Amino acid sequence: MLHVRTRSVDATRQVAAALEPLVRPGDVILLSGDLGAGKTAFVQGLAVALGIQERVTSPTFTLAASYEGRLRLHHLDVYRLDNLAEVLDLDLPELLEDRAVICIEWGEVVVPELPRDFLRIRIQLGHLEEIDDARVLEIEPIGPSWVSRNQQLNLAWADWVISETEDF
Ligand SMILES: Nc1ncnc2c1ncn2[C@@H]1O[C@H](COP(=O)(O)OP(=O)(O)OP(=O)(O)O)[C@@H](O)[C@H]1O
Ligand SMILES: [Mg+2]
């Protein structure tokens, strides 16, 4: 488990951009955190780094949006889905086969349908900070594919990582 701190929306986008060199076709990134935590901001940063020129917005009303870049990006927001059947209607298995990068907001409900490897990111408001713009990203590599990238993740995020002993 890694903890990364940002103090602005741009910093959250930079954290996401720093992940870009490490993403591979078929990767799944699961984002959770309260309304306005910065999940979409994270996806925006990753999209720009992937060379996607279209502006990524919240797909809440469309549930899924796809973008072409160095890798294709599927951006899903399952916030409004109240049951798993609806999630499956999104053709999730098909998207997972697509060798694209898949970012899923509010994705905890789809965990049972995910491959064994995914990167779990929980975004929290930095509660020890006085500033409203502070966020702590709790990042958990799940499965061998992501666990084997742990060291690279640490290096990529060295500027933002909170040390094990530090409070946040
Ligand atoms: N450190 C930060 N990281 C990310 N966003 C921040 C940060 N500080 C402030 N913000 C602001 O918080 C908001 C995050 O919005 P965003 O749409 O990314 O959240 P979200 O988690 O996707 O919300 P939703 O649950 O509605 O989809 C933006 O208005 C952004 O400017
Ligand atoms: Mg969002």
Side-chain angles (χ1 to χ4, degrees):
M1 188 93 76
L2 259 165
H3 291 98
V4 157
R5 190 206 317 269
T6 69
R7 291 185 169 88
S8 70
V9 62
D10 280 341
T12 294
R13 292 194 183 112
Q14 283 170 35
V15 164
L19 177 65
E20 188 274 339
L22 301 184
V23 294
R24 302 172 187 162
D27 277 346
V28 175
I29 299 165
L30 195 73
L31 293 146
S32 60
D34 291 341
L35 274 173
K39 302 179 291 296
T40 300
F42 187 96
V43 181
Q44 288 167 340
L46 181 63
V48 168
L50 282 167
I52 291 165
Q53 301 198 340
E54 220 175 318
R55 188 181 150 73
V56 169
T57 53
S58 175
T60 298
F61 296 102
T62 51
L63 302 178
S66 300
Y67 305 90
E68 297 295 334
R70 179 178 74 79
L71 295 172
R72 187 174 300 134
L73 173 71
H74 297 302
H75 180 201
L76 277 63
D77 193 328
V78 296
Y79 176 52
R80 278 162 197 274
L81 303 189
D82 46 16
N83 65 50
L84 199 54
E86 281 182 90
V87 177
L88 298 177
D89 277 350
L90 288 172
D91 295 328
L92 188 63
E94 205 176 299
L95 295 180
L96 290 170
E97 290 286 302
D98 192 30
R99 297 187 60 72
V101 177
I102 307 186
C103 291
I104 311 178
E105 288 189 39
W106 294 99
E108 297 294 331
V109 66
V110 297
V111 167
E113 306 303 323
L114 291 182
R116 105 194 129 148
D117 301 278
F118 59 93
L119 189 65
R120 176 178 249 155
I121 301 180
R122 298 185 179 95
I123 308 182
Q124 299 157 2
L125 303 194
H127 46 268
L128 288 186
E129 301 263 335
E130 295 298 314
I131 42 173
D132 291 344
D133 289 356
R135 303 286 189 273
V136 173
L137 284 69
E138 183 185 278
I139 301 162
E140 188 181 4
I142 308 224
S145 159
W146 278 108
V147 169
S148 69
R149 280 177 269 181
N150 210 11
Q151 202 180 351
Q152 292 164 278
L153 292 172
N154 267 289
L155 285 173
W157 286 326
D159 287 350
W160 302 279
V161 165
I162 306 173
S163 73
E164 301 273 326
T165 51
E166 201 179 329
D167 281 339
F168 55 88

